[in-house]
Amino acid sequence: MAVGMFPPSHDERISYAENGHKLGSLELQQQQKNVDDDGRPCRTGTVWTASAHVVTAVIGSGVLSLAWSMAQIGWIAGPVVLLIFAAITFFTSLLLTDCYRSPDPVTGKRNYRYKDAVKANLGEIQLWCCALVQYSNLMGTAIGYTITASISMVAINRSDCFHAKGHNGACNTSNNLYMALFGVVQLMLSQIPNFHKLWWLSIVAAVMSFSYSGIGLGLGISKIIENGHLLGSATGVPIGLTLGSVTPAKKVWRVFQALGNIAFAYSFSTVLIEIQDTIKSPPAENKTMKKATLIGIITTTTFYLSVGCFGYGAFGNGARGNLLTGFGFYDPYWLVDFANACIVVHLVGAYQVFSQPLFEFVESTAANKWPKSGCIHTEHAIRIPFVGTWRVNVFRLLWRTMYVIFTTIAAMLLPFFNDIVGLIGAAGFWPLTVYFPIEMFIKQKRIESWSWSWVALKTISAACLMISIAAGIGSIEGILHSLEKYTPFKTTY
């Protein structure tokens, strides 16, 4: 007799129900395995991918200005200042990693963005102050990276020109076209939906940063060997009226600006929470992020000391503002070209690492404000031959395109590498790297006012505020000085 010709018995019905319940439980368990405790898809980041994000965020255009910064400060204070900034950045980053979850750093509610952590710990008013500073700083960094990438592309063109025409050849080139080309690339990459999709770009960018930093270091060492001794002095560029010296006021402005450049070189706190949000658990995200931060800071500080010291030792007080584009190095020209190409590739990735948090903030705010808007919430699938399906969101396409266009035009209007780098570093260092992490830590750990820990933390914060103010003043003075002989859209190198 064929099974199923008669209705199932009572026992059979119980058996089917039990089996169906087991199947449903298995499906539910499988679904739960695919999501984290907040219902979002499982994060897959590790200490190594997070370290790559950190290195990509930290080692940027700032490394190229360190030899110039060392020249302003000198052999005695230069390395010490670098190490102090590294120590402060590492310390406050450790505090910030514990703010990814609130109120408990291991089991608390996740904060997906830097400003979410500020809101959870410090309240609404501090949130808006943080958002204004953070997103202005991210946009400023994108502008700075556009300037730097274009200068490196110009350097490749000039290097080839010098090789063909000699070191005294007429090889001046405008960087506006190269800024536009960089902007076109960013227009395409900016359509990557979110931070989690950027792991491959960060790894490529990290490899590039190692490459050009290593080349700069190697060229600096070879130049020192060629010179036969280290150049430079204990206190940097001298004060006086002779050739190569500066006035006392100029010396002060340049030292302040150098502090801003070094602060910019260590700026990654703005994206630390976003990087931590890519990390899987267990182990707890803050433990993994602390290891990644340690690896990133040690790696970058080693490179910074090496590139800054050997660059200064090679060129002394005459070190250029940008080590690989100021043409202290002419040969081998193909190696200089390759190093500058690595800079461009790295900054392509770094631009995205710093811009994605701003993209996400604007888009999530718009989505919450207009929950029924098809323009904001609907994605359209477009098939691209040999590539696959590209999912287009109209709001994302328009907003991110306008953002890239704005940063590109702003870079064309203010193409002053050292001055802009110093100003961005000064504006972001104290509030984002020092003030908010310390205040959140005090609130989270309930540290009593006027206790030894409270006084120590507040003293660090106050000292860093003074440094930021001084660096900002020095950079603004440099920008004003550069504007005296500047014509918009007609800068050449």
Side-chain angles (χ1 to χ4, degrees), residues 222-430:
S222 67
K223 184 71 173 179
I224 291 171
I225 294 172
E226 179 186 326
N227 294 338
H229 62 279
L230 289 172
L231 299 179
S233 61
T235 57
V237 176
I239 296 173
L241 300 175
T242 59
L243 184 65
S245 61
V246 294
T247 64
K250 195 69 175 177
K251 175 71 174 182
V252 171
W253 298 136
R254 286 191 175 185
V255 169
F256 286 171
Q257 188 179 334
L259 294 176
N261 286 352
I262 295 172
F264 178 80
Y266 278 107
S267 61
F268 85 103
S269 297
T270 48
V271 293
L272 186 146
I273 295 291
E274 283 82 354
I275 293 173
Q276 193 166 342
D277 191 44
T278 68
I279 295 173
K280 64 182 179 182
S281 62
E285 300 90 354
N286 63 333
K287 290 183 178 179
T288 303
M289 193 63 206
K290 285 174 182 177
K291 292 179 182 177
T293 301
L294 178 62
I295 293 170
I297 294 294
I298 288 176
T299 302
T300 53
T301 301
T302 301
F303 270 105
Y304 284 178
L305 283 170
S306 301
V307 175
C309 291
F310 281 107
Y312 181 43
F315 297 104
N317 295 331
R320 303 296 180 88
N322 187 319
L323 185 64
L324 288 171
T325 62
F327 286 92
F329 301 118
Y330 288 93
D331 296 304
Y333 82 98
W334 58 269
L335 189 59
V336 176
D337 285 357
F338 178 73
N340 279 296
C342 289
I343 293 171
V344 174
V345 174
H346 172 249
L347 294 181
V348 165
Y351 183 104
Q352 287 300 314
V353 168
F354 277 87
S355 296
Q356 285 287 332
L358 179 55
F359 293 160
E360 199 277 335
F361 166 68
V362 171
E363 288 155 22
S364 62
T365 301
N368 291 331
K369 189 172 182 62
W370 297 287
K372 296 182 180 180
S373 172
C375 174
I376 295 172
H377 294 275
T378 304
E379 292 198 344
H380 307 276
I382 299 176
R383 289 193 60 81
I384 302 175
F386 309 110
V387 176
T389 303
W390 180 35
R391 305 194 70 81
V392 180
N393 175 276
V394 175
F395 179 76
R396 182 171 67 226
L397 178 64
L398 293 177
W399 138 244
R400 296 190 182 191
T401 298
M402 288 190 295
Y403 171 85
V404 173
I405 291 173
F406 172 79
T407 57
T408 304
I409 293 175
M412 290 179 179
L413 286 171
L414 294 169
F416 314 126
F417 175 75
N418 284 91
D419 303 325
I420 295 297
V421 164
L423 183 60
I424 295 168
F429 175 68
W430 177 72

Side-chain angles (χ1 to χ4, degrees), residues 112-116 127-143 270-271 274 354-365 399 403 406-407 432:
Y112 302 112
R113 299 180 294 268
Y114 188 104
K115 72 180 189 67
D116 294 338
L127 161 68
W128 287 108
C129 294
C130 169
L132 177 63
V133 175
Q134 182 191 8
Y135 295 126
S136 298
N137 186 264
L138 290 174
M139 185 177 292
T141 302
I143 293 169
T270 48
V271 293
E274 283 82 354
F354 277 87
S355 296
Q356 285 287 332
L358 179 55
F359 293 160
E360 199 277 335
F361 166 68
V362 171
E363 288 155 22
S364 62
T365 301
W399 138 244
Y403 171 85
F406 172 79
T407 57
L432 299 174

Side-chain angles (χ1 to χ4, degrees), residues 441-442 447-448 450-459:
F441 181 79
I442 290 174
I447 297 175
E448 293 184 6
W450 301 108
S451 64
W452 284 109
S453 297
W454 186 90
V455 170
L457 290 169
K458 290 289 187 177
T459 301

Side-chain angles (χ1 to χ4, degrees), residues 156-177:
I156 294 172
N157 181 289
R158 293 184 68 200
S159 176
D160 294 342
C161 176
F162 285 135
H163 180 69
K165 298 181 179 180
H167 296 176
N168 296 319
C171 296
N172 292 338
T173 306
S174 171
N175 63 343
N176 288 333
L177 172 62

Side-chain angles (χ1 to χ4, degrees), residues 2-301:
V3 177
M5 290 184 67
F6 296 96
S9 66
H10 175 70
D11 291 341
E12 287 173 329
R13 284 198 296 271
I14 291 174
S15 176
Y16 293 159
E18 287 175 348
N19 288 337
H21 177 70
K22 288 177 182 176
L23 259 175
S25 297
L26 287 171
E27 289 174 358
L28 183 61
Q29 289 174 9
Q30 187 61 40
Q31 288 175 0
Q32 289 175 340
K33 287 180 181 177
N34 293 330
V35 297
D36 279 327
D37 57 356
D38 59 347
R40 295 193 176 189
C42 278
R43 293 155 177 85
T44 58
T46 66
V47 65
W48 300 113
T49 58
S51 298
H53 277 310
V54 171
V55 171
T56 301
V58 179
I59 299 184
S61 56
V63 69
L64 303 173
S65 66
L66 291 179
W68 180 88
S69 299
M70 289 279 290
Q72 311 315 309
I73 304 173
W75 278 118
I76 295 176
V80 173
V81 169
L82 272 172
L83 290 174
I84 289 173
F85 272 92
I88 292 171
T89 302
F90 177 62
F91 173 69
T92 56
S93 295
L94 293 184
L95 304 185
L96 191 55
T97 59
D98 286 338
C99 299
Y100 172 63
R101 288 179 181 266
S102 299
D104 186 89
V106 177
T107 60
K109 181 179 177 294
R110 293 177 188 265
N111 297 307
Y112 302 112
R113 299 180 294 268
Y114 188 104
K115 72 180 189 67
D116 294 338
V118 172
K119 181 181 180 181
N121 288 280
L122 301 178
E124 196 78 24
I125 295 176
Q126 296 273 39
L127 161 68
W128 287 108
C129 294
C130 169
L132 177 63
V133 175
Q134 182 191 8
Y135 295 126
S136 298
N137 186 264
L138 290 174
M139 185 177 292
T141 302
I143 293 169
Y145 283 171
T146 303
I147 295 170
T148 310
S150 69
I151 292 173
S152 289
M153 286 187 272
V154 166
I156 294 172
N157 181 289
R158 293 184 68 200
S159 176
D160 294 342
C161 176
F162 285 135
H163 180 69
K165 298 181 179 180
H167 296 176
N168 296 319
C171 296
N172 292 338
T173 306
S174 171
N175 63 343
N176 288 333
L177 172 62
Y178 297 101
M179 286 188 187
L181 290 174
F182 185 80
V184 169
V185 173
Q186 295 303 335
L187 282 176
M188 295 183 288
L189 289 177
S190 292
Q191 297 309 311
I192 296 173
N194 57 53
F195 220 149
H196 304 281
K197 307 288 186 182
L198 286 176
W199 64 269
W200 61 272
L201 193 60
S202 279
I203 290 174
V204 170
V207 171
M208 294 297 103
S209 67
F210 280 116
S211 299
Y212 71 71
S213 298
I215 291 170
L217 174 61
L219 290 173
I221 293 172
S222 67
K223 184 71 173 179
I224 291 171
I225 294 172
E226 179 186 326
N227 294 338
H229 62 279
L230 289 172
L231 299 179
S233 61
T235 57
V237 176
I239 296 173
L241 300 175
T242 59
L243 184 65
S245 61
V246 294
T247 64
K250 195 69 175 177
K251 175 71 174 182
V252 171
W253 298 136
R254 286 191 175 185
V255 169
F256 286 171
Q257 188 179 334
L259 294 176
N261 286 352
I262 295 172
F264 178 80
Y266 278 107
S267 61
F268 85 103
S269 297
T270 48
V271 293
L272 186 146
I273 295 291
E274 283 82 354
I275 293 173
Q276 193 166 342
D277 191 44
T278 68
I279 295 173
K280 64 182 179 182
S281 62
E285 300 90 354
N286 63 333
K287 290 183 178 179
T288 303
M289 193 63 206
K290 285 174 182 177
K291 292 179 182 177
T293 301
L294 178 62
I295 293 170
I297 294 294
I298 288 176
T299 302
T300 53
T301 301

